[in-house]
């Protein structure tokens, strides 16, 4: 299993050297401060999509950065770049293969969609001419183009075979990393169009010099007189079960013309070193007056192992460290066992050193067998610059920006594979993602990234068009707090204009804190200019027992969202706060009222949204499922979220899972400690009063019965009468039917009190034996 240290490790520079990054684990970077989409107000993104132009993926800026040259499918474009980022088509050149070329391409077994001429290389040769190369139906061709007139000068068929990828032009000579045939079986690093004492040279066919490489980019270091190539390839020095891919940096000297007998017209200064799977590389030259050894190379790395799929890392390497590794020991390849080992014998020469083309054959044989550096290049501070667990970066650009306090900061522009641009500033505590910008409305793979420092633009090329994004737009931050919290070295709070402005327009009395983003220190001491954006507010009318869902549109992803109620608490037994910061609860008399959504960042609290939840004036019978509350928007101020769904109030969809979730809220509410018990108290009181009344009635009845029994006279014949009554049941039944004397009289008082000896009481029927009691007068 390869860690990131292995991945950003093993590689060499035509003397190969290995770049070594640290492992992914334990590192992370902050979320983006502000995330916007292509159509967001205040953050313009220009899109250039000329008709009948496709695959505009190769970009080149003129030296004055006034013109953008675009390599597309079967075409070359000249585009004017304005100061505000607008792109205007100047001229279009058709460069299509002939029918014969297309037929030959099909005979090679290629798909018809792969046979057009895809322009892969655009490079300025000098002040008057440009060099372009295209796939041309899998028969690569190159041509010269007049920069001033933008016309073909002449076309050189197969100036060299293969698909050139990284290319560097020095004094009219082309240094390329490519393959020597359309099948991609013969990778080479070569120099072409040499004149005078310089001759065209290429890599020797010795086994192990290049192993299935993927070339990324190249750069020229004038003080070293060396061209550096960045690529990935299979690493033969590691004895793994699976093929192990590493990233390499290789070097060649521009003065190299090959050996006299050994390595004739072959590089004598080729060496390489490893790091891991490289995606893109950019060069950041040191500030004026600094040593060229401080040149920095920022590379994007990914992993070939599935455990780290979807993750990216950015590593920074210093030129001084690269030179030290190239000056160290080298590995030796045993041609019999095809095994690499560290050479222990005395080093005859230092591989990669310029001037070796004049060395003896013995020295050149040593150089030919020792081209892979033994050590790896460690990144700056021996740590990752940025690691992203969620985004796969594909392209990178870098620039140095001087902040208001005079300190220089490095700003990186990183493109994800789905078309999002991350703008990051490198701080002492680590990388801070200032903003994420959706370059295209529909995310799509991005093929090229170009930075124009003088125009202040980031240019992005894709298969559908070219996007131009300003490197900054300070007016996007509407308050001092937002301006400071962004920690954008381009922007500062202007005290006189009370606005967030580009620091180049005003250098004095500018509020800025790139390192800490401390609002209290920057904004509050300047009370006159300290202003907060007025929070947006809304009225929400709901019915009782209706689920209410309040959203809080926070632009900053670094802030913690917090909900407040006046003179009340947000109890988790009644309220549910979701991961996106929204709040859900059931509408009851106790949950109606005002709600404040607040953002807390760096100890600074700001109210973002105010809701007034009120009951509808004419409540009706509530449905069994939650319904959508009616919303009356009273005002909208400031910048809301870029997602339309985060503005205003919405209700959850009436899905079973959602309903069950909110029924749980209702159950929690019934069990809560704080709600009112007025209704329950009234019910209990009524029940208690009824129980007491019933008990008093029963007690009074029992008391009267006992008093009556004690005061009633008893005769000796009463018992005999009772016995006789049992014998004369038929006579009594006749009496009950009205046949007995006195049967027509009405019953007297209740509880068996008779008015006459022959009258019957209804209450006496309830006796235990069914007999009528003898009740004397």
């Amino acid at each position: 299993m390869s860690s990131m240290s292995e991945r950003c490790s093993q590689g060499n520079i035509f003397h190969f050297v290995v770049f070594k990054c640290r492992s992914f684990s334990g590192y992370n970077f902050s979320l983006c401060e502000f995330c916007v989409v292509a159509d967001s107000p205040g953050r313009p993104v220009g899109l250039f999509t000329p008709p009948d132009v496709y695959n505009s993926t190769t970009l080149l800026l003129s030296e004055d950065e006034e013109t953008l040259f675009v390599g597309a499918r079967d075409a070359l474009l000249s585009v004017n770049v304005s100061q505000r980022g607008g792109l205007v088509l100047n001229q279009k050149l058709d460069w299509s293969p002939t029918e014969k070329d297309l037929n030959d391409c099909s005979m090679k077994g290629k798909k018809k969609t792969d046979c057009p001429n895809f322009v892969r290389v655009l490079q300025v040769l000098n002040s008057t001419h440009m060099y372009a190369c295209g796939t041309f139906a899998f028969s690569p061709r190159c041509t010269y183009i007049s920069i001033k007139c933008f016309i073909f000068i002449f076309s050189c068929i197969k100036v060299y075979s293969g698909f050139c990828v990284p290319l560097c032009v020095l004094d009219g000579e082309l240094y390329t990393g490519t393959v020597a045939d359309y099948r991609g079986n013969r990778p080479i690093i070569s120099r072409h169009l040499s004149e005078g004492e310089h001759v065209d040279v290429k890599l020797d066919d010795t086994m192990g010099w290049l192993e299935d490489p993927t070339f990324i980019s190249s750069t020229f270091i004038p003080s070293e007189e060396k061209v550096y190539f960045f690529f990935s390839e299979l690493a033969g020095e590691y004895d793994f079960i699976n093929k192990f891919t590493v990233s390499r940096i290789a070097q060649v000297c521009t003065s190299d013309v090959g050996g006299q007998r050994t390595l004739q017209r072959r590089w004598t200064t080729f060496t390489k070193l490893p790091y891991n799977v490289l995606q893109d590389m950019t060069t950041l030259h040191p500030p004026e007056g600094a040593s060229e050894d401080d040149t920095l190379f920022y590379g994007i790395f990914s992993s070939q192992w599935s455990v780290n799929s979807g993750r990216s890392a950015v590593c920074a390497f210093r030129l001084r460290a690269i030179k030290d590794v190239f000056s160290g020991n080298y590995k030796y390849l045993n041609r019999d066992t095809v095994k690499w080992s560290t050479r222990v014998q005395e080093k005859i020469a230092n591989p990669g050193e310029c001037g070796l083309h004049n060395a003896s054959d013995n020295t050149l044989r040593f150089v030919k067998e020792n081209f892979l550096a033994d050590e790896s290049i460690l990144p700056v501070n021996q740590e990752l610059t940025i690691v992203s667990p969620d985004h796969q970066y594909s392209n990178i650009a870098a620039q140095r920006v001087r902040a208001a306090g005079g300190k220089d900061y490095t700003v990186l522009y990183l493109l994800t594979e789905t078309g999002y641009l991350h703008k990051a500033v490198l701080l002492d505590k680590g990388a801070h993602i200032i903003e994420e910008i959706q370059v295209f409305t529909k995310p799509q793979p991005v093929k090229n990234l170009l930075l124009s420092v003088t125009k202040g633009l980031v240019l992005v090329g894709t298969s559908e068009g070219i996007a131009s994004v300003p490197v900054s737009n300070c007016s996007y931050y509407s308050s001092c707090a937002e301006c400071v919290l962004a920690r954008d070295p381009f922007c500062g709070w202007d005290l006189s204009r009370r606005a967030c402005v580009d620091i180049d327009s005003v250098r004095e009395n500018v509020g800025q804190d790139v390192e800490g983003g401390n609002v209290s220190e920057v904004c509050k001491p300047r009370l006159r200019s300290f202003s907060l954006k007025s929070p947006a507010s809304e009225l929400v009318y709901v019915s009782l027992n209706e689920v209410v869902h309040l959203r809080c549109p926070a632009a900053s992803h670094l802030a913690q969202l917090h909900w407040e109620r006046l003179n009340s608490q947000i109890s988790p037994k009644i309220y549910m706060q979701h991961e996106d910061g929204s709040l859900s609860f059931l509408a009851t008399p106790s949950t109606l009222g005002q709600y404040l959504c607040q953002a807390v960042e760096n100890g600074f609290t700001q109210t973002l949204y105010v809701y007034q939840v009120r009951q509808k004036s004419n409540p009706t019978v509530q449905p069994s499922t939650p319904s959508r509350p009616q919303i009356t928007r009273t005002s909208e101020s400031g910048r809301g979220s870029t997602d339309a769904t985060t503005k205003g109030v919405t209700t959850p969809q009436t899905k079973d899972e959602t309903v069950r979730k909110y029924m749980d809220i209702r159950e929690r509410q019934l069990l809560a400690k704080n709600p009112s018990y007025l209704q329950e108290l009234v019910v209990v009181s009524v029940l208690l009063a009824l129980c007491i009344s019933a008990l008093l009635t029963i007690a009074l009845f029992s008391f009267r019965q006992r008093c009556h029994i004690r005061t009633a006279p008893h005769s000796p014949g009463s018992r005999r009468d009772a016995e006789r009554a049992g014998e004369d049941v038929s006579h009594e039944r006749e009496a009950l039917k009205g046949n007995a004397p006195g049967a027509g009289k009405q019953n007297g008082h209740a509880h068996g009190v008779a008015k006459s000896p022959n009258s019957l009481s209804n209450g006496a029927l309830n006796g235990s034996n069914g007999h009528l009691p003898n009740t004397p007068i």
Side-chain angles (χ1 to χ4, degrees), residues 601-743:
E601 183 177 356
N602 281 7
F604 174 74
T605 302
Q606 181 178 359
T607 301
L608 302 178
Y609 229 86
V610 179
Y611 289 103
Q612 286 286 350
V613 181
R614 298 179 182 177
Q615 185 179 356
K616 292 179 182 179
S617 57
N618 295 320
T620 59
V621 178
Q622 300 301 312
S624 59
T625 57
S627 61
R628 186 182 184 89
Q630 297 179 1
I631 304 169
T632 302
R633 191 181 300 273
T634 58
S635 66
E636 283 190 6
S637 60
R639 173 176 48 83
S641 173
T642 59
D643 189 352
T645 60
T646 62
K647 294 183 178 180
V649 182
T650 60
T651 56
Q653 299 176 354
T654 56
K655 296 181 180 179
D656 293 341
E657 183 178 356
T658 306
V659 172
R660 288 196 298 270
K661 183 185 297 183
Y662 292 130
M663 290 305 294
D664 293 339
I665 299 176
R666 178 56 176 167
E667 293 177 2
R668 295 177 188 175
Q669 182 179 8
L670 294 177
L671 296 175
K673 300 179 180 179
N674 296 330
S676 172
Y677 292 102
L678 179 59
Q679 183 177 357
E680 290 81 354
L681 180 60
V682 172
V683 174
V684 172
S685 300
V686 172
L687 292 176
L688 181 61
L690 292 175
C691 291
I692 294 174
S693 300
L695 291 174
L696 290 175
T697 303
I698 295 172
L700 180 60
F701 173 75
S702 300
F703 177 74
R704 291 185 63 184
Q705 282 284 70
R706 291 172 185 171
C707 291
H708 176 70
I709 293 172
R710 291 175 182 176
T711 57
H714 298 273
S715 63
S718 59
R719 188 171 184 178
R720 289 193 303 270
D721 293 338
E723 295 175 355
R724 291 174 58 188
E727 297 174 358
D728 300 333
V729 173
S730 60
H731 296 289
E732 293 177 8
R733 289 177 179 174
E734 292 295 331
L736 287 174
K737 294 179 181 180
N739 299 326

